[in-house]
Amino acid sequence: MNHTTTPYSFEFDNRFVSNPILLELFRNMLKSRMIEEKMLILLRQGKISKWFSGIGQEAISVGVTMALQPDEYILPMHRNLGVFTTRKIPLNRLFSQWQGKASGFTKGRDRSFHFGTQEYKIVGMISHLGPQLGVADGIALAHKLRKEAKVTAVFTGEGGTSEGDFHEALNIASVWDLPVLFCVENNGYGLSTPINEQFNCKNIADKGIGYGMEAHIIEGNNVLEVYTKVNEIAKSVRENPRPVLLEFKTFRMRGHEEASGTKYVPDELLNEWATKDPISNYSKFLNDEGILTKDIETYYKDSIQAEIDENLQISYAENSIVSDETNELNDVYYDAVNKLFKDSESKNNIRYIDAVSEGLKQSLEKHDNLIVMGQDIAEYGGVFKITEGFVEQFGKDRIRNTPICESGIVATAMGLSINKMKAVVEMQFSDFVSSGFNPIVNYLAKSYYRWEQNADVVIRLPCGGGVGAGPFHSQTNEAWFTKVPGLKVVYPAFPQDAKGLLIAAINDPNPVMFFEHKALYRNVYQDVSDNYFDIELGIASVIKEGKDVSIITYGMGVHWALEVLEAHKDISVELIDLRTLSPLDTKMIYSSVKKTGKALILQEDTLFGGISSDISALIMENCFEYLDAPVKRVASLETPIPFAKSLENQFLAKSRLEKELLNLLSY
């Protein structure tokens, strides 16, 4: 019998699947189920802290994973244990991961399935579910650009399809014809919220129509249907790259996580789906076909149980992690030694905007794996024309116009990095980075600390006021990011620094937020080295030496300070341009303040919560005995940035700088 509908809950069609594959599908599902059953016992014993059960959904994880090639990336979620076990990750490492031990994948820094491993081509989830969909786009884009016939599979649940990241990722994949399988496990409930309160269409697959995307509905509890259909689709996508939306109909037989329970689920629904258990139905089919014998099944169970017991003992024997502050701090950033490229004596007098453009162009010439993405950056050249002419030189594969979807594009950049590429993302205005905030602070910033995956991504942010652009095009929002461990923040004031620091940021394998003040673009000129050179991140610059007071600032603040000092040439001021806000050059700050005894910290950002507050605190903690006056902070008004020129002038810190400096000097 090869094609039958009775007496099972599904139609099993094994006409095109060999017996060894049929048995491997069963063994992989069984292994996942037996591990879960053991973990539920350990959870009750307090030996693991949390568990998200995939019991009843094993067919999806196992079928999809077996349909993919071993070197194709999979991005699973917390109910996809079968992905990890089918990829043959050593069980002792999984068990140690769940116990927070060192031989797990996150050194005790994250739990559950919140991890990835390049060795097994698995990219783990974060609790903010949506970004991993865009990460899959980036991984697939890298394959497509290298003309590699590979697919990427990414999982989400029916609840995750309500997130904006889902729509952004599908739209990007569709517009760019990316070879991504978007695997949606429709298991009936997002925690306790049923699907009729999540979306109003009949099927999740129907959403594919809106993106011009091929979509399929697959019986998620039928491992043969999952494997054969995904295998067929994956082969087609490798030959003809495109995204495909796959809805797997299934059910979650236990709570969202074990503490949640299932009281909100009607008993008749649980009973109905219990009859559709993927393992019992499939094993009965294999037995009836004479493919799975009692002896084989007994052997599988015994060998799996022995593997579980043996690897649990290995994990139990491992010592608990010993806290080491140095190790923790050293693992926030990927510590790569970059070669420093010296600036040349040959220079051209160019504008700030030209220096940024030149640094980006020379970086594209240097790194053939560098991709630049942003709204209107291709033929149009970007709203500030920084990438004008780039398409003609580098082509649209590398200079990519994006849809208006900041979150999805930041996640795509992360995926490019995972798949051995470099990415620069241009935010049209720094204000718009709020729409991409989640993947920046929760994915890019934390991935290296969590599972040693660096984010080789630079986010360029045209920022700042003084141009009458109002509340949504004038913010200087660097303080949103200086607080986040794992991000580097750069904010140059001069063209030479803008070019050298941008090249350094692109060479740095960590995520870098690169702020460029719009009002400086076409108003500041400087002799800039014409070669490919970089300036080390984290090193401040002394613009003027002095002995009476230290002014510590960055970006437009440097130019405001120079303007005031030009009117007060009798004052001996040491002017420090920070250039990089994270990492911060505290050594130079302390040295200057100890010399002058007075410190004024100037920022264009509003006062409360800005970086000047932290610098002030650092000075008080480390230089208190050298101070002859309280540390003074000068910043913009505690309001959104107004449009009218008179209101904006009053808002900006520049209007108060001279008065506050003179008051500090006379203290």
Side-chain angles (χ1 to χ4, degrees):
M1 190 193 314
N2 291 316
H3 192 234
T4 182
T5 58
T6 58
Y8 325 110
S9 297
F10 320 110
E11 178 180 350
F12 289 110
D13 183 357
N14 64 321
R15 288 174 296 172
F16 308 106
V17 184
S18 67
N19 284 359
I21 294 293
L22 294 173
L23 288 171
E24 188 178 359
L25 287 166
F26 174 73
R27 190 184 193 284
N28 284 333
M29 284 199 297
L30 182 63
K31 183 175 182 178
S32 177
R33 175 72 61 88
M34 290 178 67
I35 291 171
E36 271 222 50
E37 290 171 345
K38 182 64 175 179
M39 291 306 110
L40 292 175
I41 294 171
L42 297 184
L43 180 70
R44 290 192 290 272
Q45 294 174 346
K47 293 182 178 178
I48 59 174
S49 65
K50 204 173 186 69
W51 191 258
F52 296 88
S53 177
I55 287 177
Q57 298 181 206
E58 294 92 348
I60 303 169
S61 300
V62 170
V64 170
T65 305
M66 286 184 60
L68 264 60
Q69 297 169 353
D71 61 349
E72 291 179 324
Y73 282 92
I74 303 180
L75 293 84
M77 291 185 66
H78 41 23
R79 254 175 280 282
N80 296 123
L81 171 61
V83 170
F84 298 86
T85 53
T86 302
R87 279 277 165 98
K88 296 181 169 53
I89 289 182
L91 293 190
N92 68 293
R93 295 202 67 190
L94 285 177
F95 297 156
S96 290
Q97 169 67 22
W98 301 332
Q99 294 177 65
K101 293 187 174 181
S103 63
F105 292 88
T106 62
K107 301 180 183 178
R109 294 165 181 163
D110 212 336
R111 62 183 182 182
S112 186
F113 295 100
H114 292 202
F115 70 91
T117 161
Q118 285 282 7
E119 182 181 359
Y120 297 94
K121 291 295 181 284
I122 294 175
V123 178
M125 60 173 290
I126 66 170
S127 292
H128 306 68
L129 308 176
Q132 71 179 27
L133 296 158
V135 172
D137 284 347
I139 292 171
L141 175 59
H143 284 312
K144 185 175 181 181
L145 292 174
R146 294 195 295 262
K147 295 180 170 46
E148 298 167 346
K150 299 293 178 186
V151 302
T152 300
V154 58
F155 284 84
T156 193
E158 76 295 318
T161 66
S162 299
E163 291 193 314
D165 290 272
F166 172 82
H167 304 279
E168 292 189 15
L170 265 66
N171 191 49
I172 293 166
S174 182
V175 170
W176 290 353
D177 288 322
L178 300 178
V180 181
L181 304 182
F182 292 99
C183 303
V184 181
E185 296 178 295
N186 184 355
N187 60 25
Y189 289 85
L191 209 155
S192 69
T193 305
I195 55 176
N196 67 307
E197 295 180 26
Q198 287 283 355
F199 53 86
N200 204 27
C201 53
K202 182 178 180 182
N203 301 298
I204 291 171
D206 298 337
K207 296 174 185 280
I209 298 170
Y211 302 103
M213 185 181 296
E214 178 184 338
H216 301 268
I217 297 174
I218 297 175
E219 175 51 68
N221 284 28
N222 183 342
V223 72
L224 259 185
E225 183 175 333
V226 173
Y227 171 74
T228 54
K229 286 193 175 182
V230 174
N231 188 45
E232 177 186 357
I233 293 165
K235 287 180 179 178
S236 174
V237 170
R238 292 184 194 109
E239 296 173 1
N240 175 26
R242 66 194 188 279
V244 179
L245 176 60
L246 303 175
E247 179 182 2
F248 297 96
K249 300 285 191 181
T250 185
F251 196 75
R252 196 182 69 217
M253 295 302 295
R254 302 186 71 86
H256 168 72
E257 42 84 29
E258 286 305 302
S260 303
T262 57
K263 289 183 178 180
Y264 47 85
V265 182
D267 288 341
E268 58 270 22
L269 192 57
L270 282 168
N271 293 334
E272 176 189 344
W273 278 95
T275 66
K276 299 179 181 180
D277 181 83
I279 297 178
S280 60
N281 276 275
Y282 186 57
S283 64
K284 181 168 178 32
F285 166 73
L286 292 180
N287 273 285
D288 290 347
E289 292 286 296
I291 298 168
L292 177 67
T293 66
K294 185 175 182 180
D295 287 345
I296 293 174
E297 186 169 355
T298 299
Y299 169 73
Y300 284 166
K301 288 180 178 179
D302 290 347
S303 61
I304 291 169
Q305 189 61 56
E307 184 183 4
I308 292 171
D309 293 342
E310 178 184 352
N311 282 274
L312 273 175
Q313 291 308 311
I314 295 172
S315 179
Y316 289 154
E318 183 179 354
N319 293 329
S320 297
I321 286 180
V322 177
S323 177
D324 186 309
E325 185 175 305
T326 300
N327 286 343
E328 291 299 289
L329 293 172
N330 287 345
D331 279 356
V332 173
Y333 297 99
Y334 178 56
D335 186 17
V337 178
N338 286 319
K339 177 183 176 183
L340 287 176
F341 299 90
K342 294 191 177 297
D343 57 332
S344 66
E345 294 183 2
S346 174
K347 298 185 178 184
N348 297 309
N349 190 257
I350 59 175
R351 303 170 298 177
Y352 188 111
I353 195 169
D354 303 320
V356 173
S357 180
E358 201 171 89
L360 187 56
K361 181 179 179 182
Q362 291 180 359
S363 294
L364 282 157
E365 292 168 342
K366 183 75 172 178
H367 304 285
D368 58 9
N369 67 335
L370 173 60
I371 308 300
V372 180
M373 300 183 290
Q375 295 160 28
D376 306 297
I377 67 165
E379 291 86 353
Y380 188 70
V383 294
F384 297 105
K385 303 302 180 184
I386 283 175
T387 53
E388 191 168 34
F390 280 29
V391 166
E392 288 78 4
Q393 181 174 351
F394 302 106
K396 291 201 71 171
D397 276 352
R398 297 184 67 194
I399 311 300
R400 304 186 74 89
N401 279 339
T402 71
I404 301 176
C405 52
E406 287 81 3
S407 185
I409 291 302
V410 171
T412 299
M414 180 71 213
L416 284 169
S417 178
I418 288 172
N419 203 359
K420 301 183 286 291
M421 306 286 280
K422 300 172 78 71
V424 171
V425 176
E426 177 184 298
M427 294 288 163
Q428 206 164 67
F429 294 87
S430 72
D431 312 67
F432 300 163
V433 75
S434 56
S435 295
F437 194 74
N438 178 30
I440 292 172
V441 302
N442 285 314
Y443 212 122
L444 270 63
K446 297 175 182 175
S447 285
Y448 185 74
Y449 175 77
R450 290 170 53 243
W451 59 282
E452 296 184 330
Q453 173 59 57
N454 67 300
D456 201 343
V457 178
V458 175
I459 312 289
R460 290 185 43 247
L461 301 137
C463 66
V467 293
F472 304 118
H473 296 78
S474 305
Q475 294 176 87
T476 172
N477 41 14
E478 66 280 356
W480 294 357
F481 305 104
T482 52
K483 174 180 172 48
V484 182
L487 297 177
K488 295 188 177 183
V489 181
V490 180
Y491 202 145
F494 296 99
Q496 174 83 351
D497 288 345
K499 179 179 176 179
L501 289 169
L502 179 58
I503 290 173
I506 293 169
N507 286 336
D508 194 302
N510 295 285
V512 181
M513 311 301 291
F514 195 88
F515 287 86
E516 307 161 9
H517 202 292
K518 305 186 303 292
L520 298 178
Y521 272 159
R522 291 175 170 82
N523 292 318
V524 176
Y525 287 74
Q526 191 180 33
D527 290 339
V528 176
S529 300
D530 57 14
N531 69 317
Y532 178 86
F533 73 95
D534 57 0
I535 296 171
E536 185 178 355
L537 303 185
I539 307 297
S541 174
V542 179
I543 305 299
K544 286 176 65 71
E545 292 191 357
K547 59 181 176 58
D548 294 336
V549 63
S550 300
I551 295 181
I552 302 157
T553 187
Y554 55 94
M556 182 58 81
V558 177
H559 298 276
W560 292 341
L562 286 170
E563 187 177 326
V564 169
L565 296 181
E566 182 64 24
H568 295 275
K569 294 182 178 179
D570 57 320
I571 302 174
S572 181
V573 173
E574 183 136 296
L575 178 58
I576 306 295
D577 176 7
L578 294 173
R579 302 194 296 187
T580 302
L581 306 182
S582 181
L584 188 65
D585 191 350
T586 54
K587 182 178 179 181
M588 184 173 288
I589 293 170
Y590 300 158
S591 175
S592 178
V593 172
K594 288 176 181 179
K595 179 171 71 171
T596 65
K598 293 182 179 180
L600 183 148
I601 309 162
L602 171 65
Q603 66 183 33
E604 183 176 335
D605 194 7
T606 51
L607 183 62
F608 191 84
I611 193 171
S612 65
S613 300
D614 281 291
I615 296 173
S616 174
L618 287 168
I619 292 171
M620 292 297 290
E621 290 171 2
N622 293 277
C623 306
F624 181 76
E625 63 269 31
Y626 295 90
L627 291 174
D628 297 323
V631 176
K632 184 64 187 177
R633 296 172 297 152
V634 180
S636 296
L637 286 181
E638 297 288 316
T639 71
I641 306 178
F643 158 66
K645 191 64 178 174
S646 60
L647 296 177
E648 187 179 35
N649 288 343
Q650 175 183 260
F651 166 85
L652 291 171
K654 178 183 179 182
S655 65
R656 287 170 290 284
L657 174 58
E658 182 177 28
K659 177 183 176 182
E660 296 295 351
L661 174 61
L662 295 176
N663 286 342
L664 180 60
L665 283 165
S666 64
Y667 182 85

